[in-house]
Amino acid sequence: HKSTRQAWQNAQQTHAAAFVNRKLSTQDGRNLHRAIQAIGQAGAESLYAQIASAAIEKTGISLAVVHEDSTSQFFTGKKATRAVKGYSRDHRPDKPQINVGLMHVKSTRFASAFVITPGNEHDSQIFEKLIANAKADALVVADRGAVSKQNKALVTSKGRHYLFGEKLYGTTQREALEALPKMKRLNDGYSAYSVKTGGEWRHYFHSEKLRHDVREKRKREAEKTAAEYAENLSKKKRRSRVKRLTRITAEGEEVVVEREVITKRLFRKTREQILSELSKDDPLDGVFVLSSDKVSDPVEALCEYKQKDEVEKVFCALKGALHLRPFNARKQECVDGVVFVTMLALLVVSLLAFCNRVTGVAVKTLVEELRRVTLLVFKAARNRFKKVVCLNLDGLAHKLLGKVSLLTC
């Protein structure tokens, strides 16, 4: 094939894959669409869970601690079954969306399971569907969105354990205020106080950095609100000064009736008054609460909860390097199939990095290195000779794929 010969002749070039035509024909595009739809019809969630379970078991990765979280994916189309408007983490509330929940394995990029739900479904409902994928005796770490008495009971009913972030209002807010003077200094600017009530450990924390960030954010928002208020007040004044009523009498003459300036009715505050009201410090700034039925040490609870940020990096990889968003599909089976393929791609990249001990490298970098690799297959019709050659298999790509038996230079 001409493109194959050109790629072979330019094997030393950085972008040898550019010689291969990636544009699918109409027929190939339809075949791909049908294949993705068939995956969705076969049950993408259960199929992925089986594959991920086999991969994790083969690698010997521990499932003692798993992280649960969810994100949203918006649509450019409007006809997908489960695509509805809801709380958008992509900052696109004007678009219909779905939610994708993940069960992530600690200290890895592996997702052991995922679920797809309607875009307006609450995080606690997504948690209910994901928790069945957690193994017995596992510690499930989740944020405030998933916490509820029902979910705590659901976790412990199957021999699992939980570490939840608590919502800071009502009884929890009052207890946090009472715990503030009892807190003891920890490392890295944290203070903590722990108490066990009703078989549950409740850890109250105060972070100096978080307090500073919260107050700085409140000041920025107050400045923005004050500027918007001043601009709106100025517009109202201009409109009120020129407001007139034109009336046509029975004789056909135009009569201009002056209307009284209404600035006296406007509720006016100075910029300093607005800033002082909106920038008031809250005594609970920098305070957060964690609850667990197993973890009694506040330092251990804090470390486990902070590691939950790993799942945010997985979401970033799915939406960035693996191009999960946005969707433009009508059938829900196609949506399920696309999410499955994207999750499978992340699993393959993570497996390659884990098995070859590649650490500290972003998923985007791994994907870009693998994208440079070109696989050439030579066939001879008579003697059925087949040769497989891999181009640009150097550097990080060689480290990732060098042990794969098919790819031999």
Side-chain angles (χ1 to χ4, degrees):
H1 195 274
K2 184 177 180 181
S3 62
T4 303
R5 290 198 303 271
Q6 288 177 338
W8 176 255
Q9 293 169 2
N10 297 274
Q12 302 303 320
Q13 293 195 20
T14 305
H15 300 287
F19 291 97
V20 179
N21 185 11
R22 296 182 181 181
K23 187 175 180 180
L24 295 175
S25 64
T26 303
Q27 186 60 41
D28 290 338
R30 289 174 180 171
N31 293 338
L32 179 61
H33 175 85
R34 293 191 189 99
I36 291 176
Q37 184 177 344
I39 292 173
Q41 292 172 342
E45 297 172 6
S46 59
L47 182 59
Y48 176 83
Q50 294 174 23
I51 296 174
S53 176
I56 292 172
E57 184 179 352
K58 189 75 174 177
T59 53
I61 296 174
S62 173
L63 293 172
V65 181
V66 292
H67 306 143
E68 188 278 337
D69 207 346
S70 58
T71 188
S72 58
Q73 306 289 335
F74 71 91
F75 282 71
T76 56
K78 298 181 180 180
K79 295 185 178 181
T81 309
R82 284 184 278 184
V84 293
K85 291 185 179 180
Y87 173 67
S88 176
R89 299 164 182 84
D90 298 320
H91 308 290
R92 293 301 302 269
D94 57 316
K95 296 289 186 182
Q97 64 179 24
I98 59 167
N99 290 326
V100 179
L102 289 187
M103 188 67 74
H104 170 260
V105 183
K106 175 188 172 183
S107 301
T108 69
R109 296 190 182 100
F110 292 96
S112 59
F114 75 89
V115 294
I116 303 172
T117 66
N120 59 354
E121 195 160 295
H122 194 265
D123 289 353
S124 59
Q125 296 172 297
I126 300 173
F127 182 89
E128 292 178 11
K129 298 176 181 178
L130 268 175
I131 190 60
N133 296 284
K135 304 295 183 183
D137 204 37
L139 177 65
V140 182
V141 184
D143 59 17
R144 295 175 297 177
V147 66
S148 68
K149 290 182 179 179
Q150 292 80 4
N151 284 345
K152 289 180 179 180
L154 190 63
V155 173
T156 56
S157 64
K158 298 294 183 180
R160 310 179 192 96
H161 306 282
Y162 64 83
L163 176 62
F164 280 123
E166 291 286 339
K167 298 173 183 176
L168 203 59
Y169 66 86
T171 305
T172 305
Q173 185 179 23
R174 185 175 65 253
E175 292 173 349
L177 284 170
E178 295 173 356
L180 270 175
K182 303 176 184 178
M183 290 184 179
K184 294 183 179 180
R185 182 84 175 180
L186 301 178
N187 54 359
D188 299 330
Y190 286 95
S191 301
Y193 170 73
S194 300
V195 62
K196 189 175 184 179
T197 56
E200 180 184 69
W201 282 97
R202 296 181 73 83
H203 306 286
Y204 301 89
F205 294 93
H206 179 269
S207 168
E208 296 175 359
K209 182 179 182 301
L210 180 61
R211 179 185 62 186
H212 176 268
D213 293 344
V214 168
R215 291 180 176 177
E216 287 297 318
K217 181 180 179 180
R218 187 182 292 126
K219 288 179 182 179
R220 290 194 299 269
E221 291 178 349
E223 291 277 0
K224 183 179 178 181
T225 302
E228 291 176 352
Y229 180 85
E231 183 181 356
N232 292 336
L233 184 62
S234 177
K235 289 180 181 178
K236 288 180 180 179
K237 284 182 178 180
R238 289 198 299 269
R239 287 199 301 266
S240 63
R241 288 195 184 100
V242 300
K243 187 177 284 186
R244 284 170 170 78
L245 179 65
T246 302
R247 188 176 61 190
I248 300 177
T249 62
E251 291 77 16
E253 298 177 357
E254 290 187 358
V255 178
V256 177
V257 181
E258 294 284 347
R259 193 178 267 189
E260 184 182 359
V261 177
I262 60 171
T263 52
K264 293 181 181 179
R265 284 187 263 165
L266 293 177
F267 181 70
R268 291 182 294 174
K269 290 184 180 180
T270 63
R271 179 176 179 276
E272 290 72 21
Q273 288 174 328
I274 295 175
L275 291 178
S276 63
E277 288 185 13
L278 298 181
S279 302
K280 287 181 181 178
D281 292 337
D282 190 323
L284 290 178
D285 287 342
V287 174
F288 59 97
V289 184
L290 303 179
S291 63
S292 176
D293 67 324
K294 179 182 180 181
V295 184
S296 58
D297 182 20
V299 177
E300 181 185 355
L302 181 62
C303 291
E304 292 290 357
Y305 192 76
K306 287 174 70 175
Q307 289 186 14
K308 195 188 76 65
D309 289 341
E310 294 171 355
V311 72
E312 299 296 338
K313 296 180 181 179
V314 173
F315 287 141
C316 183
L318 288 171
K319 294 182 178 182
L322 299 174
H323 307 291
L324 182 56
R325 64 178 184 185
F327 286 112
N328 187 7
R330 297 183 180 183
K331 296 182 179 180
Q332 185 60 43
E333 294 82 3
C334 295
V335 175
D336 295 352
V338 169
V339 176
F340 171 84
V341 172
T342 310
M343 292 294 300
L344 191 62
L346 177 64
L347 180 63
V348 170
V349 173
S350 302
L351 276 171
L352 289 173
F354 179 84
C355 295
N356 293 284
R357 299 191 176 118
V358 177
T359 58
V361 182
V363 174
K364 183 178 180 180
T365 305
L366 296 174
V367 172
E368 289 299 325
E369 286 294 318
L370 293 174
R371 190 171 288 163
R372 291 195 311 109
V373 177
T374 302
L375 186 66
L376 301 180
V377 180
F378 297 89
K379 295 181 180 179
R382 293 181 180 178
N383 54 8
R384 297 183 180 180
F385 172 77
K386 183 177 180 181
K387 182 180 180 182
V388 180
V389 177
C390 191
L391 306 180
N392 290 335
L393 192 59
D394 53 5
L396 183 58
H398 185 270
K399 193 172 183 180
L400 291 171
L401 299 174
K403 295 181 180 180
V404 180
S405 58
L406 273 177
L407 302 181
T408 55
C409 293

